[in-house]
Amino acid sequence: MYLKRKIDAYLAGWKADPERKPLIVKGARQIGKTESIRRFSEKRYKSVVEINFALEPKYKTITEEGYDVESIVKHITLLDPSKEFLPGETLVFFDELQEFPEIATALKAFCQDRRYDVICSGSLLGVHYHRIQSISVGYKLDYDMYSLDFEEFLWAKGYGDESTEGMLDHMKRLVPFSESEMAVYRQLFLDYCVLGGMPGVVRSYIEKGNFAGSLALQRQLLLDYEEDVRKYAEGLDQAKILSVYRHVPTQLAKENKKFQYSTISKSARAREYQGCIEWLQDAGVVNICYCLHFPELPLKGNYDEAKFKLYYADTGLLVASLDEEAQEDLRANKNLGVYKGALYENLVAEALIKQGLGLYYYKREDSQLEEDFFVRTTNELLPVEVKAGNNSSKSLSTLIRGEKYADVKRGIKLSAGNIGFSNGIFTFPYFCAFLLKRWLEQLGHDDANEETAN
C-alpha cells in the first residue's frame, strides 16, 4: 500500500523542468524517501539505476578514476553490466548518501552533462551536509522531507483535497465548523497525535483498522535512532547526545519547557553538551525553538541561542517514549493526561516545521509573559498560543494591546474549541495547525489589498 505524499507533486514538477538539476532529498530515517522516489522513477523512466551505498558498499569505488560522468558510468556497469544508461531516459538514484557523501562531487559533472537525471537521498544528511554543500553548490536542488503531516494522514484515510480546501475556507472566512465536522476532525487528529506520521506506523494502522502493533513499531524506530547516534556521531560524546534525546519528554512535561541541562544531571553544563543539540537537529529527530530577544520583526537573528525548547520531530515518537501508564491512558481512554500541553505544543511545532516555518518563542524574565510560538506575514508578527484548555490567553492579550509591541497587532490561539475571532485573537482548532502558512499568505494578501484600497 503506497501512501500519497507531498513529495510526489514536487518530483513531478522537477521532472517537468527542462533545466532540472540533480536533486538531494534530505530527511530522517524511515520517513518514506526511498519509497516515494522509487514510485516516481518507475513511472517516468525507462531505466532506473539505483545504488544503495549502505547495502552495496562496493559502489564506493566508482569514483576511483575521477568524478566525471563517463568514469562513473564505466565503473557502475563494470560492477553490474545489467544496469542500463539510456541518454534522456535514465534516472540515477544514489541512496543512503550519508554512507558516501563524496559522490556529491560528481553532481556538477552530471548537471553539466545532462544525459542522465540524478536524485540522491539518505538519512542523517544534515550531519554531513556542510561537506556535501561545499562540493556541489550551484549544481543541485534540495528537498526537505518529513514524516506525514496531518494533510497526508487525511489522504491516507481516504480524504481528498476538497476536505483540506474546505478547512482552509472555514479559516479564511472565520466560519465555525459544524458539530459533525468538529467531531470527525477531532477524532482523526487524536488518532494522528497517537500514531504520528512515520509511514510504517500509519500504513499498519490503515491496513489493520486499529492501533495494534503501532507502539512496537514506534519503539523500534526510537531504538533505530539511538543506534544511528552510536554509528554516526563521530567526534562527539554519544552518551550525552542520547541523554539529551531521552530527556526531551521530561522537559516538555514541565511548566517551564525551556531546555535545562541540569535536568539531565545536576552538575551538567551547557559547554559539556556543545554540538549535541545541533547533531540531533541535523539528524532530523528534534526541532529547536529559540527564545526571541524581543517580540519584533525580523525573526532571524533576533533570538538567544542559549535559550531554547526541544521538540521531537514526530509527535508519535514522543508519545511512544512516555511511560506505560500514559500509554494505556492515551491508547485505551484517549486521555492525554498531564502530557496534554506538551503533546499539543509538540504537534504545533511539528506542523510549523513541516510548512517551512521557523520555531521561535518568547519568555519575559521579569514577568509571567510567555508565548509559545511566533509566525509572520510581510509586515506583521503574530504570536501563536497553544492552549490545552479553554482558559484565557493573558500573554496573547498583553502582546496585542501593549504599545511597546508595535509589530504585534493580532494573535492566534490553537485550542480544542471552534473557529472564532475576538479582541484581535483568531481562534482555530488544533487540527488546523497544518494550514497556518496558507492562511497567513491569504491574510497578508488581504491586508495588502486593504492598504492599497485606502
Side-chain angles (χ1 to χ4, degrees), residues 128-170:
H128 302 274
Y129 205 65
H130 297 301
R131 181 157 47 127
I132 293 172
Q133 174 72 3
S134 66
I135 57 182
S136 58
V137 63
Y139 297 97
K140 61 164 181 58
L141 295 173
D142 297 304
Y143 182 88
D144 290 308
M145 190 173 177
Y146 305 95
S147 62
L148 282 79
D149 67 5
F150 187 52
E151 184 173 15
E152 291 171 312
F153 180 77
L154 290 175
W155 292 344
K157 290 287 291 182
Y159 292 85
D161 292 337
E162 65 278 2
S163 296
T164 301
E165 289 303 318
M167 294 167 71
L168 182 58
D169 185 61
H170 274 280

Side-chain angles (χ1 to χ4, degrees), residues 302-326:
N302 175 29
Y303 59 86
D304 186 342
E305 291 186 348
K307 297 178 182 178
F308 57 88
K309 296 185 287 186
L310 288 184
Y311 299 99
Y312 270 20
D314 184 88
T315 305
L317 297 186
L318 173 63
V319 170
S321 70
L322 303 180
D323 53 61
E324 295 297 334
E325 291 76 15

Side-chain angles (χ1 to χ4, degrees), residues 178-453:
S178 67
E179 288 186 15
S180 59
E181 287 174 321
M182 285 294 290
V184 169
Y185 289 135
R186 275 174 176 164
Q187 185 57 57
L188 286 166
F189 191 70
L190 189 55
D191 288 352
Y192 174 70
C193 175
V194 173
L195 289 163
M198 301 304 286
V201 178
V202 175
R203 184 179 294 109
S204 173
Y205 161 78
I206 297 295
E207 291 175 345
K208 294 177 181 177
N210 56 53
F211 293 93
S214 60
L215 180 57
L217 289 171
Q218 290 169 320
R219 285 183 168 168
Q220 184 57 53
L221 284 167
L222 289 170
L223 292 174
D224 290 343
Y225 281 163
E226 294 197 0
E227 184 58 34
D228 282 342
V229 174
R230 298 184 183 94
K231 184 176 181 181
Y232 294 106
E234 301 171 358
L236 292 172
D237 191 322
Q238 298 173 4
K240 285 188 170 63
I241 295 177
L242 290 173
S243 292
V244 171
Y245 185 55
R246 292 168 182 167
H247 276 80
V248 171
T250 305
Q251 299 269 5
L252 288 178
K254 295 179 178 297
E255 185 67 27
N256 177 13
K257 295 179 176 60
K258 172 190 169 186
F259 193 85
Q260 298 172 311
Y261 294 101
S262 59
T263 62
I264 299 175
S265 170
K266 290 183 179 180
S267 60
R269 297 292 181 269
R271 64 177 179 273
E272 300 170 7
Y273 289 81
Q274 188 72 35
C276 295
I277 307 291
E278 290 77 9
W279 192 96
L280 287 167
Q281 182 186 43
D282 288 343
V285 296
V286 302
N287 295 319
I288 305 176
C289 181
Y290 288 107
C291 183
L292 293 173
H293 289 303
F294 189 78
E296 62 183 356
L297 296 173
L299 292 172
K300 291 185 177 179
N302 175 29
Y303 59 86
D304 186 342
E305 291 186 348
K307 297 178 182 178
F308 57 88
K309 296 185 287 186
L310 288 184
Y311 299 99
Y312 270 20
D314 184 88
T315 305
L317 297 186
L318 173 63
V319 170
S321 70
L322 303 180
D323 53 61
E324 295 297 334
E325 291 76 15
Q327 292 295 330
E328 183 176 349
D329 219 16
L330 273 165
R331 295 170 190 274
N333 306 318
K334 299 294 189 295
N335 178 25
L336 302 181
V338 296
Y339 293 98
K340 181 184 292 185
L343 292 177
Y344 282 134
E345 200 171 309
N346 200 97
L347 277 162
V348 173
E350 181 184 344
L352 294 176
I353 286 291
K354 289 178 176 178
Q355 293 170 80
L357 300 172
L359 298 183
Y360 305 95
Y361 78 102
Y362 180 65
K363 175 71 170 72
R364 186 168 159 180
E365 296 297 334
D366 61 350
S367 76
Q368 296 297 311
L369 181 63
E370 183 172 7
E371 204 52 76
D372 299 319
F373 303 105
F374 287 84
V375 293
R376 64 169 298 176
T377 62
T378 303
N379 301 311
E380 183 179 358
L381 182 64
L382 289 95
V384 179
E385 191 159 298
V386 184
K387 303 297 289 186
N390 289 317
N391 47 320
S392 61
S393 306
K394 293 182 180 178
S395 292
L396 201 51
S397 297
T398 300
L399 288 170
I400 294 169
R401 296 171 184 169
E403 293 183 1
K404 65 173 70 173
Y405 309 112
D407 292 333
V408 179
K409 303 176 182 67
R410 295 169 289 189
I412 301 167
K413 181 170 74 171
L414 296 169
S415 71
N418 212 321
I419 289 177
F421 180 75
S422 178
N423 299 319
I425 300 174
F426 296 96
T427 302
F428 299 121
Y430 301 121
F431 58 75
C432 289
F434 77 99
L435 288 167
L436 279 179
K437 185 176 182 179
R438 278 173 263 186
W439 177 79
L440 285 166
E441 289 170 352
Q442 183 63 45
L443 184 69
H445 179 70
D446 292 344
D447 289 345
N449 287 340
E450 187 176 329
E451 287 181 13
T452 302

